[in-house]
Amino acid sequence: MLKITHLSKTFNPGTVNEKPVLQDLSLHIEKGDFVTVIGANGAGKSTLFNAVSGSFIADSGKIFLDGKDITLMPEYKRARDIGRLFQDPMRGSAPGMTIEENLALAAGHGGWLSTVSKADKKLFRERLSLLNMGLEDRMQQQVGLLSGGQRQALTLLMATFNAPKLLLLDEHTAALDPATAEKVLELTENIVAEEKITCMMVTHNMQSALDLGNRTIMMDNGKVIFDVSGEERSKLTVADLLEQFRKVSGKALDNDRMLLT
């Protein structure tokens, strides 16, 4: 479904600030996979997502989505098939527009620039009610007035309104309080399962990395250093992940946020 072959990227090449961020990375994600991605700061997790979504063109390597070579495809064209959520709840929605207008944009109606039918409004209410946040009764409220958790849940709904071929979640609950984060993770799991969306989720919570989805990959220094699924994954503990990181990378994981979560 998603096939990445020998992908490499170096920022500021030929300067004192030269930094290899992806190094000959190859990865194959099957259709319907829910892959959790872990690694220390600077491991290349978000950079990998940027490469897949088209934020930059890699120096070398190929990216295929559903059999189509998207390596040189512009970001706005990839967005038709790739949904993405970021850590910041303020990204992914238009704060000055209403909930209804944001959903109209997500549905492909052009927001306030086109007429939203009664059938559209009914569908919006039905989808919003699934969030269990009461937003279906606040469709005329500006999104900028919502809490971070409400806005992130809405953004998740928008990103999956027309089910994408691939959903990229870049620590999308990290900025939320624990209770809200748990609720958004539950929504994520339900939506991904119901819509059968292929998904990759970066998380700093190592227990979530083992509990969610069907596969976990670990990154370090721009490479995938560990890839586990199935029965082997089901037997792993957080301590096992830490030991595996030490064993493969030759160093201890020193990300305080990951270790304390």
Side-chain angles (χ1 to χ4, degrees):
M1 198 282 172
L2 175 67
K3 184 178 180 181
I4 300 170
T5 59
H6 304 292
L7 200 68
S8 295
K9 178 66 177 179
T10 297
F11 291 144
N12 307 309
T15 72
V16 294
N17 295 317
E18 179 174 310
K19 181 175 177 57
V21 289
L22 295 175
Q23 301 190 65
D24 196 33
L25 187 151
S26 294
L27 183 65
H28 187 196
I29 307 296
E30 298 286 352
K31 185 176 179 64
D33 269 353
F34 187 158
V35 182
T36 55
V37 185
I38 57 175
N41 290 337
K45 307 181 298 296
S46 293
T47 305
L48 173 61
F49 279 17
N50 287 337
V52 172
S53 62
S55 297
F56 60 77
I57 302 299
D59 299 331
S60 60
K62 292 285 187 178
I63 304 173
F64 298 87
L65 182 65
D66 207 15
K68 182 178 182 180
D69 187 347
I70 63 170
T71 308
L72 301 178
M73 182 181 290
E75 184 173 18
Y76 75 92
K77 289 188 176 180
R78 298 191 203 191
R80 298 169 185 168
D81 295 319
I82 300 175
R84 188 172 183 184
L85 265 72
F86 299 87
Q87 179 175 333
D88 184 358
M90 300 302 108
R91 300 181 66 175
S93 57
M97 295 169 60
T98 66
I99 293 174
E100 181 181 292
E101 289 168 342
N102 271 270
L103 287 174
L105 282 174
H109 293 307
W112 76 92
L113 298 178
S114 63
T115 301
V116 177
S117 68
K118 290 183 178 179
D120 290 329
K121 293 183 179 183
K122 181 181 179 182
L123 178 59
F124 295 166
R125 286 183 59 87
E126 290 173 352
R127 295 286 185 92
L128 286 167
S129 67
L130 298 176
L131 302 180
N132 292 316
M133 292 181 170
L135 298 183
E136 66 273 17
D137 298 319
R138 301 164 61 185
M139 290 204 300
Q140 299 308 314
Q141 183 172 343
Q142 287 190 348
V143 168
L145 299 177
L146 301 180
S147 69
Q150 290 171 332
R151 191 159 172 180
Q152 196 71 309
L154 175 63
T155 302
L156 175 63
L157 185 62
M158 291 171 63
T160 57
F161 198 93
N162 297 312
K165 292 181 178 179
L166 176 67
L167 179 62
L168 302 177
L169 306 172
D170 195 351
E171 294 199 77
H172 69 305
T173 63
L176 308 178
D177 65 82
T180 304
E182 184 176 350
K183 187 169 186 178
V184 172
L185 279 177
E186 183 180 352
L187 287 169
T188 300
E189 197 170 18
N190 291 340
I191 290 174
V192 167
E194 289 172 6
E195 299 294 335
K196 297 180 174 60
I197 299 172
T198 304
C199 179
M200 295 180 70
M201 182 182 81
V202 171
T203 178
H204 65 270
N205 188 315
M206 299 182 77
Q207 190 60 56
S208 291
L210 292 174
D211 291 341
L212 297 174
N214 65 306
R215 181 177 169 191
T216 297
I217 64 173
M218 182 182 292
M219 292 186 64
D220 183 55
N221 201 28
K223 303 175 183 178
V224 174
I225 62 171
F226 184 56
D227 187 341
V228 64
S229 59
E231 186 177 354
E232 181 183 1
R233 178 179 183 261
S234 68
K235 296 178 179 178
L236 291 178
T237 64
V238 170
D240 293 329
L241 285 181
L242 293 172
E243 174 58 23
Q244 189 66 37
F245 182 87
R246 186 200 62 77
K247 180 179 177 181
V248 178
S249 68
K251 59 188 177 184
L253 185 64
D254 60 358
N255 187 316
D256 290 341
R257 187 163 62 134
M258 292 181 68
L259 295 175
L260 293 173
T261 300

